[in-house]
Amino acid sequence: MTPGQGPAASTAADRAPVPEAAWVYLLRCPDGSLYCGWTNDLARRLKAHQSGKGGAKYTKSHGTAAVRLTYAERCADKSAALKREAAVKKLQKVEKEALAARWLADNAVTLRMATPDDAADVADLYNWYVTHGVQTFQYAPSTAEEYRQNIAEVLTVAPFLVARAADGRLLGFACAHPWHSRAAYAWDVETTVYCAPDAVGQGIGKRLYTALLALLRQQGYRNAYALVTGGNKPSDALHKALGFTRFGVEKRTGYKFGQWLDLTYWGLQLVPGSGEPAPVRKRLTDEEIRTVLENA
Ligand SMILES: CC(C)(COP(=O)(O)OP(=O)(O)OC[C@H]1O[C@@H](n2cnc3c(N)ncnc32)[C@H](O)[C@@H]1OP(=O)(O)O)[C@@H](O)C(=O)NCCC(=O)NCCS
C-alpha cells in the first residue's frame, strides 16, 4: 500500500475459485436405519433433512430433526458423487456400518485450548475465507507467524479454542479479543468462530462457541459482541441460537469481491447484574478449563 492511499479495491475477479464440492453421505435415523444421498452443499442438505423442508421423504418419516450425519465422502464432482452414491446404496448393511464406524472414529472431535504451534493450521483455515469469501473483510492472507503471536496474546486474557479430528485435521477455532482498549471496557470481548469449509453444518461451530462463552463467563466477562458481515446466514443463525441479539447494522460499509456489504452487530450479556464487577480473571485453572471442554 502506498503511504496515504488505501488498498486497491478487491474485485470479483480477485476471489479464488471455489472448488466444486460434491459429497456422498449417510444419515443415521433414530430407528438405526441408514439413508444414503449425495449433495453439493453438505451443510445445507443436512439442515434440509433435519428441518423436514426440502429433505427426503425417507428422513421426514424417520426422525427428521433427530437424523445424524454418520458418513461423508468428498468426490471430485457431481458425476463422481452420483456414481459413488449408487455404489454405496448397493452395499450390504454391514458394509455401510463399517464405513460409518470408520468415519465416526476418524472424525471424533476434540476441543482443546490452542497453543502457538496450532498457528499454521489456524492461518490456513482462516485464509481460505480471506481468499474465497466475504465472511471476513480482510483482503490479504494472514501469516502463520501473525497467528502464532495472536494465539499467544489472546491466551493471556481469553480462551483460544481449537477443534481437531482424531486424524489431526483442524476442524475449527473460536477465540475472543478485547472489544475496546479503554479501561471501562475491560469486561467486554469480541468473539470469533471459524470452521473448516468441509466441516461446516455439523455442530462443530456451536460446540466451540458454547465452550468459549462458558469459559468467558467463568472469567467474569460481562458482554460478548460479534461482527457478522453481510448475508452470512450460518453465522447469523449460530448467534441467534446462542442467545445473542442483533442490535445494529452498518449499511454497505465494506467492499470486497465486487460487492458492498453490511456489517451486523450481535451482542450477548454473559452475566446478568448491574453492580460493580469483580476484575476479570485473566487465567482459569486447568481443572476449570477441562470441566468446560469435557462437557462441550
Ligand atoms: C458460522 C459457522 C461458525 C457456524 O458453525 P457450524 O458448525 O457450521 O454450525 P452448526 O452446525 O454448529 O449450527 C449452529 C446453528 O446454526 C444453524 N446453521 C448452521 N448452518 C446454517 C445454514 N447454512 N443456514 C441456516 N442455519 C444454519 C444451525 O441450524 C444451528 O442452529 P440450531 O442449533 O438452532 O439448529 C460456520 O458455518 C463457519 O465457519 N462459517 C464460515 C466462517 C464464518 O462465517 N465464521 C463466522 C464469522 S462471523
Side-chain angles (χ1 to χ4, degrees), residues 27 41-51 69 201-202:
L27 299 177
D41 186 334
L42 193 55
R44 205 179 52 210
R45 190 75 189 128
L46 192 54
K47 200 163 168 51
H49 282 293
Q50 291 175 332
S51 66
L69 187 68
Q202 295 164 44

Side-chain angles (χ1 to χ4, degrees), residues 21 26 52 57 60 98 108 116 169 181 183 193 205 219 227 232 243 246 249 263 293 296:
L26 288 172
K57 270 193 196 152
K60 208 169 173 183
R169 276 170 302 129
S181 59
V193 60
Q219 285 186 267
L227 304 176
N232 186 346
R246 212 175 107 120
V249 180
L263 183 70
L293 296 185

Side-chain angles (χ1 to χ4, degrees), residues 221-288:
Y221 282 108
R222 289 299 183 100
N223 301 294
Y225 297 105
L227 304 176
V228 179
T229 58
N232 186 346
K233 275 196 194 154
S235 185
D236 284 340
L238 175 64
H239 286 96
K240 206 168 167 193
L242 290 173
F244 281 74
T245 49
R246 212 175 107 120
F247 65 89
V249 180
E250 283 179 29
K251 291 298 241 179
R252 293 168 54 83
T253 193
Y255 183 83
K256 191 176 179 191
F257 295 150
Q259 309 166 59
W260 279 104
L261 296 151
D262 295 349
L263 183 70
T264 304
Y265 286 69
W266 290 87
L268 176 71
Q269 193 181 22
L270 291 165
V271 180
S274 54
E276 187 180 323
V280 164
R281 292 165 62 205
K282 299 267 184 282
R283 277 181 188 278
L284 296 173
T285 65
D286 290 348
E287 183 58 28
E288 286 171 314

Side-chain angles (χ1 to χ4, degrees), residues 12 18 28 36 57 75 109 129 137 146 151 155 177 180 184 196 208 228 230 240 246 248 271 274 281 285:
V18 179
R28 168 86 58 202
C36 179
K57 270 193 196 152
C75 302
V109 182
Y129 292 101
F137 279 174
E146 281 163 358
I151 291 171
L155 288 175
H177 301 87
H180 289 304
L208 277 166
V228 179
K240 206 168 167 193
R246 212 175 107 120
V271 180
S274 54
R281 292 165 62 205
T285 65

